[in-house]
Amino acid sequence: MSVLRLTDISKRFGAIQALNGISLSIEPGEVIGLMGDNGAGKSTLVKIIAGNFRPTHGKMSVADREVEFHRPIEARENGVEIVYQDLALCDNLTAAANVFLGREKYRWIGPIRILDHAAMYKHAGGLFRELKSETRPRDLVKQMSGGQRQAVAIARTMLSEAKLVLMDEPTAAISVRQVAEVLTLIRHLRERGVAVVLISHRMPDVFAVADRIVVLRRGTKVADKAVSKSSPEEVTGLITGAIEVA
Ligand SMILES: Nc1ncnc2c1ncn2[C@@H]1O[C@H](COP(=O)(O)OP(=O)(O)OP(=O)(O)O)[C@@H](O)[C@H]1O
Ligand SMILES: [Mg+2]
């Protein structure tokens, strides 16, 4: 059973055909490297999967059930989580508060409802341990490294038992050591059976962690193959158009 299946998805923004007849299926625990030049349609595709955009045409199913997402919350309810490039974290809050943002835990003292910080620290601490991350629940996000921020954003996706995590350029703006941490986080998600779509311009990251590579060129899928059957040279050719399809 596929986690996600896209059939003939197209998206038009006015005169721009951003995506053209994309079909794709993703299995549990599979890591897909989604590559393509600027403007190729990568972010548009993951935003459709995450319920930010409606496709102009095409069908989408989650766990073999056809779905239509009108809002991101509907994707989330179906186990689809997205980590945006800017991460959208609150700098002045702790790691735990960011993990639970909008999904806070409460407890009651008589008739009064208060935030249950202890429970959130404990739960967030467990998620970071599961991700083998050094991130501490009580640390403020503004004092964190890029890699630790990624761990917070990824822990957020684990709260809801995500089946598919979409990551838009998670390693674009962080140091070499932090990139290694993020790749490790992705491997831990895979071990838990979570499927990951990783958008990246960084060929070494994709070849280090992905099982399959999908290449988009000007809105069209030009390759969908096992990493072991491709090479960085071939992918570069597919991205630029030097190689037509593979
Ligand atoms: N909200 C929008 N309104 C109009 N056009 C859009 C919108 N979002 C994307 N586009 C257009 O759709 C095309 C695909 O854009 P998209 O952001 O998906 O590319 P991308 O592959 O993510 O590129 P990058 O690597 O630069 O992030 C581009 O031509 C872009 O200008
Ligand atoms: Mg993009």
Side-chain angles (χ1 to χ4, degrees):
M1 188 168 62
S2 302
V3 175
L4 178 83
R5 181 169 290 128
L6 303 179
T7 314
D8 206 16
I9 293 281
S10 297
K11 177 69 181 175
R12 177 174 272 286
F13 294 107
I16 297 168
Q17 188 74 40
L19 293 173
N20 205 350
I22 306 286
S23 296
L24 176 66
S25 70
I26 305 175
E27 307 307 313
E30 198 174 28
V31 179
I32 308 259
L34 180 57
M35 305 200 74
D37 219 341
N38 297 117
K42 305 178 298 295
S43 295
T44 303
L45 187 64
V46 296
K47 284 177 176 169
I48 286 173
I49 301 169
N52 293 93
F53 292 149
R54 297 292 315 282
T56 313
H57 179 266
K59 285 195 299 196
M60 191 155 78
S61 43
V62 168
D64 292 345
R65 199 168 49 83
E66 198 172 323
V67 291
E68 271 185 31
F69 299 149
H70 300 264
R71 290 177 303 145
I73 181 78
E74 295 173 9
R76 205 186 244 184
E77 283 164 359
N78 279 274
V80 177
E81 294 272 344
I82 183 162
V83 177
Y84 294 100
Q85 181 166 8
D86 63 5
L87 295 180
L89 298 177
C90 296
D91 270 1
N92 291 314
L93 298 180
T94 62
N98 270 283
V99 169
F100 286 93
L101 203 63
R103 293 182 261 193
E104 287 81 359
K105 286 181 192 260
Y106 291 95
R107 65 192 174 95
W108 294 89
I109 301 183
I112 301 163
R113 193 177 75 146
I114 61 166
L115 283 170
D116 193 346
H117 291 291
M120 289 190 278
Y121 286 141
K122 189 157 175 251
H123 192 156
L127 294 176
F128 294 137
R129 266 196 304 284
E130 219 173 306
L131 288 169
K132 311 262 188 309
S133 164
E134 305 284 297
T135 310
R136 289 178 308 223
R138 289 167 197 267
D139 286 355
L140 287 177
V141 163
K142 69 175 164 215
Q143 290 158 356
M144 286 183 180
S145 72
Q148 289 173 324
R149 285 165 187 260
Q150 284 289 335
V152 173
I154 292 167
R156 256 184 85 76
T157 70
M158 292 166 68
L159 264 191
S160 56
E161 298 285 317
K163 297 188 203 75
L164 172 64
V165 174
L166 310 165
M167 299 182 163
D168 200 345
E169 300 274 8
T171 55
I174 58 181
S175 73
V176 173
R177 201 176 69 85
Q178 292 165 5
V179 167
E181 280 175 36
V182 172
L183 299 183
T184 303
L185 293 175
I186 292 172
R187 292 191 185 100
H188 287 306
L189 290 175
R190 169 168 55 197
E191 279 163 24
R192 294 162 46 101
V194 178
V196 176
V197 174
L198 169 68
I199 295 182
S200 178
H201 285 281
R202 294 171 45 101
M203 204 68 77
D205 296 356
V206 171
F207 275 81
V209 80
D211 302 302
R212 228 166 89 207
I213 294 198
V214 171
V215 181
L216 299 184
R217 192 168 67 239
R218 282 190 260 112
T220 301
K221 186 171 96 170
V222 292
D224 183 345
K225 63 196 291 189
V227 166
S228 57
K229 299 218 162 68
S230 189
S231 65
E233 294 72 29
E234 182 183 57
V235 173
T236 303
L238 287 160
I239 290 172
T240 58
I243 302 173
E244 199 61 42
V245 284

